[in-house]
Short mmCIF file of all heavy atoms in Angstrom, two decimals:
data_model
loop_
_atom_site.label_atom_id
_atom_site.label_comp_id
_atom_site.label_asym_id
_atom_site.label_seq_id
_atom_site.Cartn_x
_atom_site.Cartn_y
_atom_site.Cartn_z
N SER D 1339 8.95 112.71 3.90
CA SER D 1339 9.78 112.42 5.07
C SER D 1339 9.16 111.35 5.95
O SER D 1339 9.86 110.64 6.65
CB SER D 1339 9.99 113.69 5.88
OG SER D 1339 8.79 114.11 6.46
N ARG D 1340 7.83 111.24 5.95
CA ARG D 1340 7.16 110.18 6.72
C ARG D 1340 5.75 109.97 6.19
O ARG D 1340 5.15 110.88 5.62
CB ARG D 1340 7.12 110.48 8.22
CG ARG D 1340 6.87 111.92 8.58
CD ARG D 1340 6.87 112.10 10.09
NE ARG D 1340 7.69 113.23 10.52
CZ ARG D 1340 7.59 113.84 11.69
NH1 ARG D 1340 6.73 113.39 12.58
NH2 ARG D 1340 8.36 114.86 12.01
N VAL D 1341 5.26 108.74 6.42
CA VAL D 1341 3.89 108.40 6.04
C VAL D 1341 3.12 108.08 7.31
O VAL D 1341 3.62 107.36 8.18
CB VAL D 1341 3.86 107.18 5.09
CG1 VAL D 1341 2.42 106.80 4.75
CG2 VAL D 1341 4.65 107.46 3.82
N VAL D 1342 1.92 108.63 7.41
CA VAL D 1342 1.11 108.41 8.61
C VAL D 1342 -0.29 107.98 8.19
O VAL D 1342 -0.69 108.16 7.03
CB VAL D 1342 1.04 109.70 9.48
CG1 VAL D 1342 2.42 110.14 9.92
CG2 VAL D 1342 0.33 110.84 8.74
N ALA D 1343 -1.05 107.42 9.14
CA ALA D 1343 -2.43 107.04 8.84
C ALA D 1343 -3.21 108.29 8.46
O ALA D 1343 -3.00 109.36 9.03
CB ALA D 1343 -3.05 106.38 10.07
N ALA D 1344 -4.11 108.15 7.49
CA ALA D 1344 -4.83 109.32 6.97
C ALA D 1344 -5.55 110.09 8.08
O ALA D 1344 -5.54 111.32 8.09
CB ALA D 1344 -5.81 108.89 5.89
N ASP D 1345 -6.14 109.35 9.03
CA ASP D 1345 -6.89 110.07 10.06
C ASP D 1345 -5.99 110.74 11.10
O ASP D 1345 -6.47 111.42 12.01
CB ASP D 1345 -7.92 109.14 10.74
CG ASP D 1345 -7.27 107.95 11.43
OD1 ASP D 1345 -6.03 107.79 11.30
OD2 ASP D 1345 -7.98 107.19 12.10
N LYS D 1346 -4.67 110.52 10.98
CA LYS D 1346 -3.74 111.17 11.91
C LYS D 1346 -2.91 112.26 11.21
O LYS D 1346 -2.03 112.86 11.82
CB LYS D 1346 -2.76 110.12 12.48
CG LYS D 1346 -3.40 109.08 13.37
CD LYS D 1346 -3.40 109.58 14.81
CE LYS D 1346 -3.93 108.57 15.81
NZ LYS D 1346 -5.33 108.23 15.66
N LEU D 1347 -3.19 112.50 9.93
CA LEU D 1347 -2.32 113.41 9.17
C LEU D 1347 -2.21 114.79 9.81
O LEU D 1347 -1.10 115.29 10.03
CB LEU D 1347 -2.82 113.54 7.72
CG LEU D 1347 -2.00 114.51 6.85
CD1 LEU D 1347 -0.58 114.00 6.65
CD2 LEU D 1347 -2.67 114.73 5.49
N HIS D 1348 -3.34 115.39 10.12
CA HIS D 1348 -3.28 116.76 10.63
C HIS D 1348 -2.64 116.82 12.01
O HIS D 1348 -1.84 117.71 12.31
CB HIS D 1348 -4.66 117.40 10.61
CG HIS D 1348 -5.08 117.77 9.21
ND1 HIS D 1348 -6.28 118.31 8.89
CD2 HIS D 1348 -4.41 117.66 8.04
CE1 HIS D 1348 -6.35 118.53 7.58
NE2 HIS D 1348 -5.22 118.12 7.05
N GLU D 1349 -2.97 115.81 12.82
CA GLU D 1349 -2.38 115.74 14.17
C GLU D 1349 -0.84 115.62 14.08
O GLU D 1349 -0.11 116.32 14.77
CB GLU D 1349 -2.98 114.49 14.83
CG GLU D 1349 -2.73 114.31 16.27
CD GLU D 1349 -3.39 112.98 16.73
OE1 GLU D 1349 -4.55 112.68 16.33
OE2 GLU D 1349 -2.73 112.26 17.48
N GLU D 1350 -0.38 114.72 13.20
CA GLU D 1350 1.07 114.49 13.08
C GLU D 1350 1.76 115.71 12.49
O GLU D 1350 2.85 116.09 12.91
CB GLU D 1350 1.34 113.27 12.20
CG GLU D 1350 0.79 111.97 12.75
CD GLU D 1350 1.75 111.28 13.71
OE1 GLU D 1350 2.90 111.73 13.83
OE2 GLU D 1350 1.32 110.30 14.35
N ALA D 1351 1.14 116.33 11.48
CA ALA D 1351 1.77 117.50 10.86
C ALA D 1351 1.83 118.65 11.86
O ALA D 1351 2.86 119.35 11.97
CB ALA D 1351 0.99 117.92 9.62
N LEU D 1352 0.76 118.81 12.62
CA LEU D 1352 0.72 119.87 13.62
C LEU D 1352 1.75 119.61 14.72
O LEU D 1352 2.42 120.54 15.19
CB LEU D 1352 -0.69 119.94 14.22
CG LEU D 1352 -1.11 121.24 14.86
CD1 LEU D 1352 -0.89 122.42 13.93
CD2 LEU D 1352 -2.60 121.16 15.24
N ALA D 1353 1.90 118.34 15.11
CA ALA D 1353 2.90 118.01 16.14
C ALA D 1353 4.30 118.33 15.63
O ALA D 1353 5.12 118.93 16.35
CB ALA D 1353 2.78 116.53 16.52
N ALA D 1354 4.60 117.95 14.39
CA ALA D 1354 5.93 118.23 13.84
C ALA D 1354 6.15 119.74 13.74
O ALA D 1354 7.23 120.26 14.10
CB ALA D 1354 6.07 117.59 12.45
N ALA D 1355 5.13 120.46 13.27
CA ALA D 1355 5.27 121.92 13.12
C ALA D 1355 5.44 122.59 14.48
O ALA D 1355 6.19 123.57 14.62
CB ALA D 1355 4.04 122.48 12.40
N THR D 1356 4.78 122.05 15.50
CA THR D 1356 4.89 122.64 16.84
C THR D 1356 6.29 122.43 17.42
O THR D 1356 6.87 123.32 18.05
CB THR D 1356 3.81 122.04 17.77
OG1 THR D 1356 2.53 122.33 17.19
CG2 THR D 1356 3.86 122.63 19.16
N VAL D 1357 6.85 121.23 17.18
CA VAL D 1357 8.23 120.98 17.62
C VAL D 1357 9.15 122.03 16.99
O VAL D 1357 9.97 122.67 17.66
CB VAL D 1357 8.69 119.56 17.22
CG1 VAL D 1357 10.20 119.40 17.37
CG2 VAL D 1357 7.96 118.51 18.06
N ILE D 1358 9.01 122.24 15.70
CA ILE D 1358 9.86 123.20 14.99
C ILE D 1358 9.63 124.61 15.52
O ILE D 1358 10.59 125.36 15.77
CB ILE D 1358 9.58 123.14 13.46
CG1 ILE D 1358 10.01 121.78 12.91
CG2 ILE D 1358 10.28 124.29 12.73
CD1 ILE D 1358 9.49 121.49 11.50
N ALA D 1359 8.36 124.96 15.71
CA ALA D 1359 8.02 126.33 16.13
C ALA D 1359 8.53 126.65 17.53
O ALA D 1359 8.65 127.83 17.89
CB ALA D 1359 6.51 126.54 16.06
N ASN D 1360 8.83 125.61 18.31
CA ASN D 1360 9.37 125.86 19.66
C ASN D 1360 10.89 125.87 19.70
O ASN D 1360 11.48 126.08 20.76
CB ASN D 1360 8.81 124.83 20.64
CG ASN D 1360 7.37 125.18 21.01
OD1 ASN D 1360 7.04 126.33 21.27
ND2 ASN D 1360 6.49 124.19 20.97
N MET D 1361 11.53 125.62 18.56
CA MET D 1361 12.99 125.79 18.48
C MET D 1361 13.30 127.28 18.37
O MET D 1361 12.40 128.11 18.23
CB MET D 1361 13.54 125.07 17.25
CG MET D 1361 13.27 123.59 17.20
SD MET D 1361 14.18 122.70 18.49
CE MET D 1361 13.63 121.02 18.14
N SER D 1362 14.60 127.61 18.41
CA SER D 1362 15.00 129.00 18.19
C SER D 1362 14.70 129.38 16.74
O SER D 1362 15.20 128.74 15.81
CB SER D 1362 16.49 129.12 18.48
OG SER D 1362 17.01 130.25 17.83
N LEU D 1363 13.90 130.41 16.54
CA LEU D 1363 13.51 130.78 15.17
C LEU D 1363 14.71 131.12 14.28
O LEU D 1363 14.78 130.65 13.13
CB LEU D 1363 12.50 131.93 15.19
CG LEU D 1363 12.03 132.41 13.82
CD1 LEU D 1363 11.35 131.29 13.03
CD2 LEU D 1363 11.07 133.60 13.97
N PRO D 1364 15.69 131.91 14.78
CA PRO D 1364 16.83 132.17 13.88
C PRO D 1364 17.57 130.89 13.47
O PRO D 1364 18.04 130.77 12.34
CB PRO D 1364 17.75 133.10 14.69
CG PRO D 1364 17.04 133.45 15.93
CD PRO D 1364 15.75 132.70 16.01
N MET D 1365 17.64 129.90 14.40
CA MET D 1365 18.31 128.64 14.04
C MET D 1365 17.49 127.87 12.99
O MET D 1365 18.03 127.30 12.05
CB MET D 1365 18.52 127.74 15.27
CG MET D 1365 19.36 128.37 16.36
SD MET D 1365 20.89 129.08 15.75
CE MET D 1365 20.93 130.62 16.63
N VAL D 1366 16.18 127.88 13.18
CA VAL D 1366 15.28 127.22 12.22
C VAL D 1366 15.47 127.84 10.83
O VAL D 1366 15.59 127.14 9.82
CB VAL D 1366 13.82 127.37 12.71
CG1 VAL D 1366 12.83 127.10 11.60
CG2 VAL D 1366 13.57 126.44 13.90
N MET D 1367 15.54 129.17 10.80
CA MET D 1367 15.69 129.86 9.51
C MET D 1367 17.06 129.55 8.89
O MET D 1367 17.17 129.39 7.67
CB MET D 1367 15.50 131.36 9.70
CG MET D 1367 14.07 131.73 10.03
SD MET D 1367 13.87 133.40 10.69
CE MET D 1367 14.27 134.38 9.27
N MET D 1368 18.07 129.44 9.74
CA MET D 1368 19.41 129.14 9.21
C MET D 1368 19.49 127.72 8.67
O MET D 1368 20.13 127.47 7.65
CB MET D 1368 20.48 129.35 10.29
CG MET D 1368 20.81 130.79 10.56
SD MET D 1368 22.26 130.89 11.63
CE MET D 1368 21.97 132.42 12.48
N VAL D 1369 18.86 126.77 9.37
CA VAL D 1369 18.84 125.39 8.87
C VAL D 1369 18.18 125.35 7.50
O VAL D 1369 18.70 124.76 6.54
CB VAL D 1369 18.10 124.46 9.86
CG1 VAL D 1369 17.79 123.11 9.20
CG2 VAL D 1369 18.92 124.24 11.12
N LYS D 1370 17.04 126.01 7.38
CA LYS D 1370 16.32 126.03 6.10
C LYS D 1370 17.19 126.64 5.01
O LYS D 1370 17.33 126.08 3.91
CB LYS D 1370 15.00 126.80 6.26
CG LYS D 1370 14.28 127.05 4.94
CD LYS D 1370 12.86 127.53 5.12
CE LYS D 1370 12.27 127.94 3.77
NZ LYS D 1370 10.82 127.99 3.73
N GLU D 1371 17.79 127.78 5.32
CA GLU D 1371 18.61 128.48 4.32
C GLU D 1371 19.80 127.62 3.91
O GLU D 1371 20.13 127.51 2.73
CB GLU D 1371 19.09 129.81 4.92
CG GLU D 1371 19.72 130.74 3.92
CD GLU D 1371 20.20 132.06 4.55
OE1 GLU D 1371 20.05 132.24 5.78
OE2 GLU D 1371 20.74 132.88 3.79
#
Side-chain angles (χ1 to χ4, degrees):
S1339 68
R1340 39 181 132 160
V1341 177
V1342 300
D1345 61 354
K1346 293 271 184 295
L1347 178 65
H1348 286 177
E1349 190 181 317
E1350 297 274 351
L1352 203 52
T1356 301
V1357 167
I1358 294 167
N1360 283 316
M1361 301 292 180
S1362 158
L1363 179 60
M1365 300 311 137
V1366 163
M1367 291 165 68
M1368 284 190 209
V1369 167
K1370 171 167 172 160
E1371 191 180 0

